Each structure stands twice: as C-alpha cells, then as structure tokens.
Amino acid sequence: MEMDSCSTLDMLNNLPESILENIFSRLPTRDMVRTSVLSTKWRHKWISVPHLFFNDECIPVSNGSVGHDKLVKIINHALLLHRDPILTFKISSSWLQTCSEIDSWILYLSLNSSTLTEFKLKISKSVRHSVLPCLFSFRKLIHLTLVGCIIVTPMRIEGFSCLTSLVFQKVTLSSATLKCLVSACRQLERLTLIDMDGPTYIELSNPKLKYLQISGRFIGMCLKDLRHLVYASFSVTTAALLGQRRNCNFSNILGSLVSIEKLVMGGWFMQYLVVGDVGTRLPSTYDHLKSLSFPLNVEDMKEILVAICLLNSSPNLQELEILFWHKRGNGIVTIMDVLEAEDQLECTFNKLRIVNISTLFGMEIELVLVKFILANSPVLETMNISSAKNGIEVVTFLKVLLQFKRASPQAKIVYLDPET
C-alpha cells in the first residue's frame, strides 16, 4: 500500500507542466486550493494559475448573507495570495450580492488589465451593482459577461478593442450607452442582450457582428450595417410596451441582415414588424437564409402579410418552423383576406427539407399555408404537425391534409399528438 502511495505521488510530481496547467484550468478556485495537499510540487501551484473561477462549488451549502460572506472571503483570499498574471476571472455564484469588495476586485484586475482576456460578473440578487468605469480600460479583454449590473460608461471608451463576445443580462444602461459601446467594439462578433433595463430603444451598428440574441422588453429597434450577421434570435417577452412602438418596421429591423443564415423569432416580436406597409417580398432576398422560425397570430392579417413577405424572400430555406397561435389582432381575418394571402404567396422552396408546424387550430389561413408549402417544396422530406389542445377534430383534419398536392414524392406528413 505504501509503495502504491509513493508511486502515485511520483506520478503527480512528474506530470508535464502543460498537463498541470490543463488540469488547473478546468477546476473551480476552491478545488485548485485543495490540490496543494496532493503533492509538495503542487503546494503553491494554484497561486500562479491564470484562470480563476468562483461558483457555488466554492462554498459549502449555505444560505442568504452567510453564503455571500463566505464567497467574498474566498475571493479576497485568492486575489491576496495570487502572484502571476490573471487571464480569466469569472464569478457565477448564486450567492453574490452587490458590495464594495467588487470594486476592489475590479481595481485589482485593472492593474493587470494588459493580460486579462475574460471577465464575468454575476450579481444574483435583486439589487444591481454599478460597475466601475475602469472596467472599460481592459484593453486585452476578449469575452465580457455582466449579469445584474448597472453600467455608466466614461465619456470615452478606451478599451475593448479586442472584445469579440459581449453578454449583458439584467443590466441597466441607457440606449445611447449601448449604441456607443457596441459601435466601439470593432472586433465584436457575438452579442447577447437579455432582460435589459434602460435601453427601451435598441440601435445597433457593427459590421463585424456574426451572432445576435435579443430578448426582453423594448419599444423599438433599428439594426444597421450588420452585413456579416449569420445568426439572429429576437424575442419580445411582454406586450406591455406594444402601444409605445416607434420607428419599428420590417426594413429598420431586418433590412440589413443580408448574410443571415438562421433567424429565430419568438414572443411578440412579429408585432414589431407590422408597422407601416408590408410588401409581398423584400427588395433583396435572404439568399443565405437556411433556417427560419417564427410565431404567427392567425387572427392578425398584418402578421400574416409579414409571414408571407418572409417566406417569399427566403428562396433557399432548408428548415422552417411556424408556431401558430391566435389573439384578436388588427382586424378580423375574412375569407377575402385568406384569398388575398393565397394570391401573394409566390415562391418555390427548392431546398426545403424539414418543416415543423405547431398548435394548428384548423383555421382556413393555416391550411392555405400548409397547402402552399407542400405544393412548392420539391425536395421536402418531413412535415411535422401538431394541433392545439382541443383545437381541431384530428381525423377530419388529417383527411384534408392527405388531399393536398405534394411537389415532393418522398414527403412525409407526421402528426404529433399535442402535449397533455
């Protein structure tokens, strides 16, 4: 047994430096400190590790302010003893509250900002923390994530020239600050904005941006010069601000997404595209768009026209997902409206293979869309369909579907039972 123990210690002591660094880079800071008892060579290894992670695993099971106090003590201790440059500093614990120690940590990191490439700060409680302006001087920062913070940028943003990924969740800042910040990040490729406070009107312009996710409440949006954007996800989580919409129309929001490959829309977002006149197709088509997902209020004729414009402008779709729902919208959809919509559908989906259609109610406009897709998708493989709970008489509905012409001889219609 003693020989086995010595053998294990020798093996730990003789591990190559590159493997040691790889091991330590994957451990939470608390576990890194614990490794000091495994080997004399490891005793002080953790104080030079360039990656510091603080999460719920750093402290024993606790509650309330006790958990917060323990976490702060651990972070203070780690920074006090740390000796070498820090590349990554991430706090994602559910215990952290706003406190003055956070400012001290940011000030400490600012002294080594020439090496820091990733910074994450998550405030989990309701009171948000106002981050120090010196955070914006971290010149080498590549990834920045802030959760539960307040941001007031300095008059001139010095840093972020290397930033490629930016995540804001439950962050308070002005519309002007957000616009300035995104524009100043010349290398920004990924931007995520979730449940923001303050930027009720979102205006973004950045030609390098490739991935964009926006979810929350706002009254307007204008996207400019996003020529390289390949993925976009938009969701409006409440209808409370719809009456205050301004400068919202199809062109302002989606007009610049000329390279988009995947477009996902959710919540009330379609209502932000219905303002003003909607044509049958866009001036320039989404030639790169492969995947499209959107909800559709089948009792709102303007939303239906927006959906038709999207479909007519997406000739190279490979996957399509439509979630039907109904709420009395901009006028009752009449038989004449249905006929008009049918006349405006004028495209062929030569690459469409997968279609998912959810919560059908058996309304005429839904059947028109399903019929059109089946008749104009020559390589369609599968159309998955589910109905709303108690929405339609299934047998009768399936009989109608089976009568529709299919352009693709291998197309299968799969009916999925609604969730119970």
Side-chain angles (χ1 to χ4, degrees), residues 97-127:
Q97 306 171 27
T98 180
C99 60
S100 59
E101 284 83 358
I102 296 175
D103 294 340
S104 300
W105 303 335
I106 294 177
L107 283 171
Y108 174 86
L109 293 171
S110 70
L111 300 176
N112 301 281
S113 62
S114 60
T115 61
L116 191 70
T117 60
E118 184 169 4
F119 180 85
K120 178 178 181 178
L121 174 62
K122 177 184 176 182
I123 307 297
S124 299
K125 305 306 178 183
S126 57
V127 179

Side-chain angles (χ1 to χ4, degrees), residues 89 102-103 105-111 113 116 118-121 129-141 143-147 149-154 156-161 163 166-168 171 181:
F89 185 85
I102 296 175
D103 294 340
W105 303 335
I106 294 177
L107 283 171
Y108 174 86
L109 293 171
S110 70
L111 300 176
S113 62
L116 191 70
E118 184 169 4
F119 180 85
K120 178 178 181 178
L121 174 62
H129 183 82
S130 183
V131 295
L132 290 177
C134 66
L135 176 65
F136 298 90
S137 65
F138 290 12
R139 297 182 181 277
K140 298 296 183 180
L141 208 60
H143 305 284
L144 172 62
T145 300
L146 296 177
V147 181
C149 295
I150 301 171
I151 297 176
V152 180
T153 58
R156 181 180 177 184
I157 300 176
E158 297 180 6
F160 295 170
S161 59
L163 197 72
L166 177 62
V167 178
F168 285 165
V171 166
L181 183 58

Side-chain angles (χ1 to χ4, degrees), residues 360-404:
L360 275 110
F361 296 90
M363 298 178 69
E364 190 68 30
I365 188 63
E366 296 172 335
L367 296 177
V368 165
L369 288 172
V370 171
K371 180 180 179 181
F372 178 82
I373 293 169
L374 286 171
N376 292 275
S377 305
V379 297
L380 184 67
E381 297 173 0
T382 305
M383 177 179 282
N384 297 309
I385 293 178
S386 66
S387 62
K389 295 178 182 178
N390 305 318
I392 58 177
E393 206 289 306
V394 175
V395 175
T396 302
F397 177 68
L398 290 177
K399 287 181 179 179
V400 173
L401 284 182
L402 291 174
Q403 294 175 8
F404 289 161

Side-chain angles (χ1 to χ4, degrees), residues 286-345:
Y286 293 131
D287 291 334
H288 302 281
L289 187 61
K290 300 175 183 177
S291 178
L292 174 63
S293 175
F294 60 87
L296 180 59
N297 180 5
V298 293
E299 293 195 49
D300 189 326
M301 192 58 199
K302 283 197 170 183
E303 276 202 24
I304 293 169
L305 293 176
V306 167
I308 290 172
C309 180
L310 275 170
L311 293 174
N312 285 340
S313 304
S314 308
N316 296 314
L317 277 181
Q318 297 178 16
E319 296 184 17
L320 173 64
E321 181 177 15
I322 304 175
L323 171 66
F324 289 122
W325 65 290
H326 70 100
K327 178 180 176 63
R328 185 60 57 82
N330 298 308
I332 300 173
V333 177
T334 65
I335 293 296
M336 292 300 295
D337 291 329
V338 173
L339 293 174
E340 178 188 352
E342 193 170 11
D343 288 340
Q344 291 191 20
L345 285 163

Side-chain angles (χ1 to χ4, degrees), residues 17 20-21 24 35 41-49:
E17 193 69 21
L20 284 177
E21 290 179 2
F24 276 86
T35 62
K41 185 179 178 181
W42 289 29
R43 184 164 298 165
H44 302 292
K45 182 69 180 175
W46 74 271
I47 67 174
S48 61
V49 170

